[in-house]
Amino acid sequence: MEPFKIVGNVYFVGTFQASCHLIDTGEGLILIDPGYSNALYLVVRSIYKLGFDPKDIKYIVNTHWHGDHTEATAAMADLSGAKTLIGRYDVEKSRRYFDPDITVKDGDALTLGNTTITFMETPGHTKGTISFFFEAEDEENTYRVGMFGGAGANTMAQGHFDYDGCREDYRNSLHRLQKEKVDVFIGNHVWNNDTAVKGELLLKTGVNRFIDKDLWGDFLAFCEKRLDEVISKDV
């Protein structure tokens, strides 16, 4: 997928397998979920294509420990010298891919340049899944940007739990997230918010369908409905 600016200082830099986002804070870059190792060269290419340098990445935020989001973290940290972050309850499992520099708990914030990211612990998909929120500005407006750090229902199925009690935690996390106001919802997979479709439309026409205050709530409602469907299949 071609890289593109979503809104303000927020960019999509790949990939179709697992989403990776870049935030330009004016005093360095923040990278969200470097993704699979086999796609790292595509992410690096996209960063350069947008006019940025991977060596300006100061922090790498990992939403949870799964390899589709963290396989490339160690290599990207080596390339850039960036500090790596992950939720406190995912630290041990994340070490199969990288050694985190910073652990995040509920309410923690990361400030770099013009951007402050506030983290929320949203366990379920993994025990240490983190979601986050920050503000982005364009020429006329300020938007609240949000990401649900672990929406996947694969770990909600019997025999695939990341930990005991994950279903209850997942539902509680959804309910907490539903209380948040989000103008621009970014996903950590393209299926979360139709990144590919919206990105192509934005590149071709300039129409920005990422800016939509209803998308966040609609997606969280979908996640809860899907959870109920997974539970209904229990034998």
Side-chain angles (χ1 to χ4, degrees):
M1 291 176 58
E2 287 298 306
F4 58 90
K5 179 167 78 169
I6 295 176
V7 68
N9 61 347
V10 187
Y11 300 82
F12 178 84
V13 290
T15 64
F16 193 81
Q17 291 177 307
S19 297
C20 182
H21 294 85
L22 192 72
I23 305 170
D24 175 20
T25 74
E27 295 184 13
L29 306 172
I30 299 173
L31 188 68
I32 313 296
D33 285 349
Y36 282 113
S37 294
N38 67 1
L40 177 61
Y41 76 100
L42 294 171
V43 174
V44 171
R45 171 187 172 274
S46 292
I47 292 171
Y48 277 122
K49 193 165 186 178
L50 289 170
F52 299 111
D53 188 334
K55 292 182 180 179
D56 292 328
I57 299 171
K58 305 301 182 186
Y59 294 99
I60 298 172
V61 174
N62 299 272
T63 55
H64 59 280
W65 70 266
H66 289 161
D68 53 340
H69 301 278
T70 61
E71 267 189 7
T73 297
M76 187 63 91
D78 286 343
L79 173 65
S80 62
K83 298 291 186 182
T84 58
L85 290 77
I86 199 162
R88 58 179 170 167
Y89 296 117
D90 270 3
V91 170
E92 291 305 316
K93 289 184 177 180
S94 73
R95 288 198 170 112
R96 68 188 67 185
Y97 301 114
F98 71 102
D99 288 316
D101 297 303
I102 302 169
T103 58
V104 175
K105 65 181 185 301
D106 209 51
D108 282 351
L110 170 67
T111 298
L112 182 67
N114 59 20
T115 301
T116 295
I117 299 175
T118 302
F119 296 100
M120 177 187 289
E121 290 178 307
T122 50
H125 187 55
T126 71
K127 191 171 184 179
T129 295
I130 52 174
S131 299
F132 58 84
F133 308 92
F134 63 95
E135 290 188 345
E137 299 179 2
D138 61 16
E139 294 79 6
E140 299 178 352
N141 300 292
T142 299
Y143 304 100
R144 192 164 192 245
V145 182
M147 176 184 282
F148 178 18
N154 53 322
T155 54
M156 298 296 105
Q158 287 280 9
H160 298 278
F161 295 166
D162 187 71
Y163 65 99
D164 291 339
C166 61
R167 286 175 168 177
E168 294 81 1
D169 280 353
Y170 187 87
R171 192 182 303 277
N172 289 336
S173 293
L174 290 174
H175 292 172
R176 287 190 71 200
L177 290 165
Q178 285 168 348
K179 297 176 183 177
E180 299 293 325
K181 173 184 177 292
V182 170
D183 304 303
V184 177
F185 162 42
I186 56 176
N188 65 2
H189 282 282
V190 297
W191 62 266
N192 291 178
N193 64 346
D194 293 325
T195 307
V197 174
K198 290 183 174 70
E200 185 176 9
L201 179 69
L202 183 57
L203 285 169
K204 288 184 176 180
T205 69
V207 175
N208 195 335
R209 295 285 169 79
F210 290 98
I211 304 171
D212 186 335
K213 61 182 178 60
D214 294 325
L215 291 177
W216 178 254
D218 289 347
F219 180 68
L220 296 174
F222 162 78
C223 288
E224 186 159 25
K225 179 180 179 182
R226 188 180 52 179
L227 172 64
D228 291 334
E229 291 172 351
V230 170
I231 293 173
S232 72
K233 294 178 182 178
D234 286 354
V235 177

Coordinates of all heavy atoms in Angstrom, one line a residue, residues 75-131:
A75 N 14.7 -4.5 15.1 CA 15.4 -4.0 13.9 C 15.2 -2.5 13.7 O 16.2 -1.8 13.4 CB 15.1 -4.8 12.6
M76 N 14.0 -2.1 13.9 CA 13.7 -0.6 13.7 C 14.4 0.2 14.8 O 14.9 1.3 14.5 CB 12.2 -0.4 13.6 CG 11.8 1.0 13.3 SD 12.4 1.5 11.7 CE 10.9 1.1 10.7
A77 N 14.4 -0.4 16.0 CA 15.1 0.3 17.1 C 16.6 0.4 16.8 O 17.2 1.4 17.1 CB 14.8 -0.4 18.4
D78 N 17.2 -0.7 16.3 CA 18.6 -0.6 16.0 C 18.9 0.4 14.9 O 19.9 1.1 14.9 CB 19.0 -2.0 15.5 CG 19.2 -3.0 16.6 OD1 19.2 -2.6 17.8 OD2 19.2 -4.2 16.3
L79 N 18.0 0.5 13.9 CA 18.2 1.4 12.8 C 18.1 2.9 13.2 O 18.8 3.7 12.8 CB 17.1 1.1 11.7 CG 17.0 2.1 10.5 CD1 18.3 2.1 9.7 CD2 15.9 1.8 9.6
S80 N 17.1 3.1 14.1 CA 16.8 4.5 14.5 C 17.4 5.0 15.8 O 17.5 6.2 16.1 CB 15.3 4.7 14.6 OG 14.7 3.8 15.6
G81 N 17.7 4.0 16.7 CA 18.1 4.4 18.1 C 16.9 4.7 18.9 O 17.1 5.3 20.1
A82 N 15.7 4.4 18.5 CA 14.5 4.8 19.2 C 14.3 4.0 20.5 O 14.8 2.8 20.6 CB 13.2 4.6 18.3
K83 N 13.6 4.6 21.5 CA 13.2 3.8 22.7 C 11.9 3.1 22.3 O 11.0 3.6 21.6 CB 12.9 4.8 23.8 CG 14.1 5.6 24.3 CD 15.2 4.7 24.9 CE 16.3 5.5 25.5 NZ 17.4 4.7 26.1
T84 N 11.7 1.9 22.9 CA 10.6 1.1 22.7 C 9.6 1.0 23.9 O 10.1 1.0 25.0 CB 11.0 -0.4 22.3 OG1 11.8 -0.9 23.3 CG2 11.8 -0.3 21.0
L85 N 8.3 1.0 23.6 CA 7.3 1.0 24.6 C 6.4 -0.1 24.5 O 6.0 -0.5 23.3 CB 6.5 2.3 24.6 CG 7.1 3.6 25.0 CD1 8.0 4.2 23.9 CD2 6.0 4.6 25.4
I86 N 5.8 -0.7 25.6 CA 4.8 -1.7 25.5 C 4.0 -1.7 26.9 O 4.6 -1.2 27.9 CB 5.3 -3.1 25.2 CG1 4.2 -4.0 24.7 CG2 6.0 -3.7 26.4 CD1 4.7 -5.2 23.9
G87 N 2.8 -2.2 26.9 CA 2.1 -2.3 28.1 C 2.7 -3.2 29.1 O 3.4 -4.2 28.8
R88 N 2.6 -2.8 30.4 CA 3.3 -3.5 31.4 C 3.1 -5.0 31.5 O 3.9 -5.8 31.9 CB 3.1 -2.8 32.8 CG 1.6 -2.8 33.2 CD 1.4 -2.1 34.5 NE 0.0 -1.9 34.8 CZ -0.5 -1.6 36.0 NH1 0.3 -1.4 37.1 NH2 -1.8 -1.3 36.2
Y89 N 1.9 -5.4 31.2 CA 1.5 -6.8 31.3 C 1.9 -7.7 30.1 O 1.7 -8.9 30.1 CB 0.0 -7.0 31.7 CG -0.3 -6.4 33.0 CD1 -1.3 -5.4 33.1 CD2 0.2 -6.9 34.2 CE1 -1.6 -4.8 34.3 CE2 -0.1 -6.4 35.4 CZ -1.0 -5.3 35.5 OH -1.4 -4.8 36.7
D90 N 2.5 -7.0 29.1 CA 2.9 -7.7 27.9 C 4.5 -7.8 27.8 O 5.0 -8.3 26.8 CB 2.4 -7.1 26.6 CG 1.1 -7.6 26.2 OD1 0.5 -8.5 26.9 OD2 0.6 -7.2 25.1
V91 N 5.1 -7.3 28.8 CA 6.6 -7.2 28.8 C 7.2 -8.5 28.6 O 8.1 -8.7 27.7 CB 7.1 -6.5 30.1 CG1 8.7 -6.6 30.1 CG2 6.8 -5.0 30.1
E92 N 6.9 -9.5 29.4 CA 7.6 -10.8 29.4 C 7.4 -11.5 28.0 O 8.3 -12.0 27.4 CB 7.0 -11.7 30.5 CG 7.5 -11.3 31.9 CD 9.0 -11.1 32.0 OE1 9.7 -12.0 31.5 OE2 9.4 -10.1 32.6
K93 N 6.2 -11.5 27.5 CA 5.9 -12.2 26.2 C 6.6 -11.4 25.0 O 7.0 -12.0 24.0 CB 4.4 -12.4 26.0 CG 3.8 -13.4 26.9 CD 2.4 -13.7 26.6 CE 1.8 -14.8 27.5 NZ 0.4 -15.1 27.2
S94 N 6.7 -10.1 25.2 CA 7.3 -9.3 24.1 C 8.7 -9.6 24.0 O 9.3 -9.3 22.9 CB 7.1 -7.8 24.4 OG 7.9 -7.3 25.5
R95 N 9.4 -10.1 25.0 CA 10.8 -10.3 24.9 C 11.2 -11.4 23.9 O 12.4 -11.5 23.6 CB 11.4 -10.7 26.3 CG 11.4 -9.5 27.3 CD 12.3 -9.7 28.5 NE 12.4 -8.4 29.2 CZ 12.0 -8.2 30.4 NH1 11.3 -9.1 31.0 NH2 12.1 -7.0 31.0
R96 N 10.3 -12.2 23.4 CA 10.6 -13.1 22.3 C 10.9 -12.3 21.0 O 11.5 -12.8 20.1 CB 9.5 -14.1 22.0 CG 8.2 -13.5 21.5 CD 7.1 -14.5 21.5 NE 6.7 -14.8 22.8 CZ 5.7 -15.8 23.1 NH1 5.2 -16.4 22.1 NH2 5.4 -16.0 24.3
Y97 N 10.6 -11.0 21.0 CA 10.8 -10.2 19.8 C 11.8 -9.0 20.1 O 12.6 -8.6 19.3 CB 9.5 -9.6 19.2 CG 8.6 -10.7 18.8 CD1 7.3 -10.9 19.5 CD2 8.9 -11.6 17.8 CE1 6.5 -11.9 19.1 CE2 8.0 -12.6 17.4 CZ 6.8 -12.7 18.1 OH 6.0 -13.7 17.7
F98 N 11.6 -8.4 21.3 CA 12.5 -7.2 21.6 C 12.4 -7.0 23.1 O 11.6 -7.5 23.8 CB 12.0 -6.0 20.9 CG 10.7 -5.4 21.4 CD1 10.7 -4.3 22.3 CD2 9.5 -6.0 21.1 CE1 9.5 -3.8 22.7 CE2 8.3 -5.5 21.5 CZ 8.3 -4.4 22.4
D99 N 13.4 -6.3 23.7 CA 13.4 -5.9 25.1 C 12.9 -4.5 25.2 O 13.6 -3.5 24.8 CB 14.9 -6.0 25.6 CG 15.3 -7.5 25.8 OD1 14.5 -8.3 26.3 OD2 16.4 -7.8 25.4
P100 N 11.8 -4.3 25.8 CA 11.2 -2.9 25.9 C 12.0 -2.0 26.8 O 12.6 -2.4 27.8 CB 9.8 -3.2 26.6 CG 9.6 -4.6 26.4 CD 10.9 -5.3 26.4
D101 N 12.1 -0.8 26.4 CA 12.8 0.3 27.2 C 11.9 0.9 28.2 O 12.3 1.3 29.3 CB 13.4 1.4 26.3 CG 14.4 0.9 25.3 OD1 15.4 0.3 25.8 OD2 14.2 1.0 24.1
I102 N 10.6 1.0 27.9 CA 9.6 1.7 28.7 C 8.4 0.8 28.8 O 7.9 0.3 27.8 CB 9.3 3.1 28.1 CG1 10.5 4.0 28.0 CG2 8.2 3.8 28.9 CD1 10.3 5.2 27.1
T103 N 7.8 0.7 30.0 CA 6.5 0.0 30.2 C 5.5 1.0 30.5 O 5.7 2.0 31.2 CB 6.6 -1.1 31.3 OG1 7.0 -0.4 32.5 CG2 7.6 -2.1 30.9
V104 N 4.3 0.8 30.0 CA 3.2 1.7 30.1 C 2.1 1.1 30.9 O 1.7 0.0 30.8 CB 2.6 2.0 28.7 CG1 1.4 2.9 28.7 CG2 3.7 2.7 27.8
K105 N 1.5 2.0 31.8 CA 0.3 1.6 32.6 C -0.8 2.6 32.3 O -0.6 3.6 31.6 CB 0.6 1.6 34.0 CG 1.0 2.9 34.7 CD 1.3 2.7 36.1 CE 1.6 4.0 36.8 NZ 2.7 4.8 36.2
D106 N -2.0 2.3 32.8 CA -3.2 3.1 32.6 C -2.9 4.6 33.0 O -2.4 4.9 34.1 CB -4.3 2.6 33.4 CG -5.7 2.8 32.8 OD1 -5.8 2.5 31.6 OD2 -6.6 3.4 33.5
G107 N -3.2 5.5 32.1 CA -3.1 6.9 32.4 C -1.7 7.5 32.1 O -1.5 8.8 32.2
D108 N -0.7 6.7 31.8 CA 0.6 7.2 31.4 C 0.5 8.1 30.1 O -0.4 7.9 29.3 CB 1.6 6.1 31.2 CG 2.1 5.5 32.5 OD1 1.8 6.1 33.6 OD2 2.8 4.5 32.5
A109 N 1.4 9.0 30.0 CA 1.5 9.9 28.8 C 2.9 9.9 28.3 O 3.9 9.9 29.0 CB 1.0 11.3 29.2
L110 N 3.0 10.1 27.0 CA 4.3 10.3 26.3 C 4.2 11.6 25.5 O 3.3 11.8 24.7 CB 4.5 9.1 25.3 CG 5.7 9.3 24.4 CD1 7.0 9.3 25.1 CD2 5.7 8.2 23.3
T111 N 5.1 12.5 25.8 CA 5.1 13.8 25.2 C 6.4 14.0 24.4 O 7.5 13.7 24.9 CB 5.0 15.0 26.2 OG1 3.7 14.9 26.8 CG2 5.1 16.3 25.4
L112 N 6.2 14.3 23.1 CA 7.4 14.6 22.2 C 6.9 15.7 21.3 O 5.9 15.6 20.6 CB 7.8 13.4 21.4 CG 9.0 13.6 20.5 CD1 10.3 13.9 21.3 CD2 9.2 12.4 19.6
G113 N 7.7 16.9 21.3 CA 7.3 18.0 20.5 C 5.9 18.5 20.7 O 5.5 18.7 21.8
N114 N 5.1 18.5 19.6 CA 3.8 19.1 19.7 C 2.7 18.0 20.0 O 1.5 18.3 20.0 CB 3.4 19.8 18.4 CG 3.5 18.8 17.2 OD1 3.4 17.6 17.3 ND2 3.6 19.4 16.0
T115 N 3.1 16.8 20.4 CA 2.2 15.7 20.6 C 2.3 15.1 22.0 O 3.4 14.7 22.4 CB 2.4 14.6 19.5 OG1 2.2 15.2 18.2 CG2 1.4 13.5 19.7
T116 N 1.2 14.9 22.6 CA 1.1 14.1 23.9 C 0.1 12.9 23.7 O -1.0 13.1 23.4 CB 0.6 15.0 25.1 OG1 1.6 16.0 25.3 CG2 0.5 14.1 26.3
I117 N 0.7 11.7 23.8 CA -0.1 10.5 23.7 C -0.5 10.1 25.1 O 0.4 9.9 25.9 CB 0.6 9.4 23.0 CG1 1.0 9.9 21.5 CG2 -0.2 8.1 22.9 CD1 1.9 8.9 20.8
T118 N -1.8 9.8 25.3 CA -2.3 9.3 26.6 C -2.7 7.8 26.4 O -3.4 7.5 25.5 CB -3.5 10.1 27.1 OG1 -3.1 11.5 27.3 CG2 -3.9 9.6 28.5
F119 N -2.2 7.0 27.3 CA -2.4 5.5 27.2 C -3.5 5.0 28.1 O -3.7 5.5 29.2 CB -1.1 4.8 27.4 CG 0.0 5.1 26.5 CD1 1.0 6.0 26.8 CD2 0.0 4.5 25.2 CE1 2.0 6.3 25.9 CE2 1.0 4.8 24.3 CZ 2.0 5.7 24.7
M120 N -4.2 4.0 27.6 CA -5.2 3.3 28.4 C -5.0 1.8 28.3 O -4.8 1.3 27.2 CB -6.6 3.7 27.9 CG -7.8 2.9 28.6 SD -9.4 3.1 27.8 CE -9.7 4.9 28.2
E121 N -4.9 1.2 29.4 CA -4.8 -0.3 29.4 C -6.2 -0.9 29.0 O -7.2 -0.6 29.6 CB -4.4 -0.8 30.8 CG -3.0 -0.4 31.2 CD -2.6 -0.9 32.6 OE1 -3.3 -0.6 33.5 OE2 -1.6 -1.6 32.7
T122 N -6.1 -1.7 27.9 CA -7.3 -2.3 27.4 C -7.1 -3.8 27.2 O -7.1 -4.3 26.1 CB -7.8 -1.6 26.1 OG1 -6.7 -1.6 25.2 CG2 -8.3 -0.2 26.3
P123 N -7.0 -4.5 28.3 CA -6.7 -6.0 28.2 C -7.8 -6.7 27.5 O -9.0 -6.3 27.5 CB -6.5 -6.4 29.6 CG -7.3 -5.4 30.4 CD -7.1 -4.1 29.7
G124 N -7.5 -7.9 27.0 CA -8.5 -8.8 26.3 C -7.8 -9.6 25.2 O -7.5 -10.8 25.4
H125 N -7.4 -8.9 24.2 CA -6.7 -9.5 23.1 C -5.4 -10.1 23.6 O -5.0 -11.2 23.3 CB -6.5 -8.5 22.0 CG -5.9 -9.1 20.7 ND1 -6.5 -10.1 20.0 CD2 -4.8 -8.7 20.0 CE1 -5.7 -10.4 19.0 NE2 -4.7 -9.6 18.9
T126 N -4.7 -9.3 24.4 CA -3.6 -9.8 25.2 C -3.8 -9.1 26.6 O -4.5 -8.1 26.7 CB -2.2 -9.4 24.7 OG1 -2.0 -8.0 24.8 CG2 -2.0 -9.9 23.2
K127 N -3.1 -9.6 27.6 CA -3.2 -9.0 28.9 C -2.7 -7.6 29.0 O -3.2 -6.7 29.7 CB -2.5 -9.9 29.9 CG -2.9 -9.5 31.4 CD -2.3 -10.5 32.4 CE -2.8 -10.1 33.8 NZ -2.3 -11.1 34.8
G128 N -1.7 -7.3 28.2 CA -1.1 -5.9 28.2 C -1.4 -5.0 27.1 O -0.8 -4.0 26.9
T129 N -2.5 -5.3 26.3 CA -2.9 -4.4 25.2 C -3.1 -3.0 25.7 O -3.8 -2.8 26.7 CB -4.2 -4.9 24.6 OG1 -3.9 -6.2 24.0 CG2 -4.6 -4.0 23.5
I130 N -2.5 -2.0 25.0 CA -2.7 -0.6 25.3 C -3.4 0.1 24.1 O -3.1 -0.2 22.9 CB -1.4 0.1 25.6 CG1 -0.3 -0.1 24.6 CG2 -0.9 -0.3 27.0 CD1 0.9 0.7 24.8
S131 N -4.3 1.0 24.4 CA -4.9 1.9 23.4 C -4.4 3.3 23.8 O -3.8 3.5 24.8 CB -6.4 1.8 23.5 OG -6.9 0.5 23.2

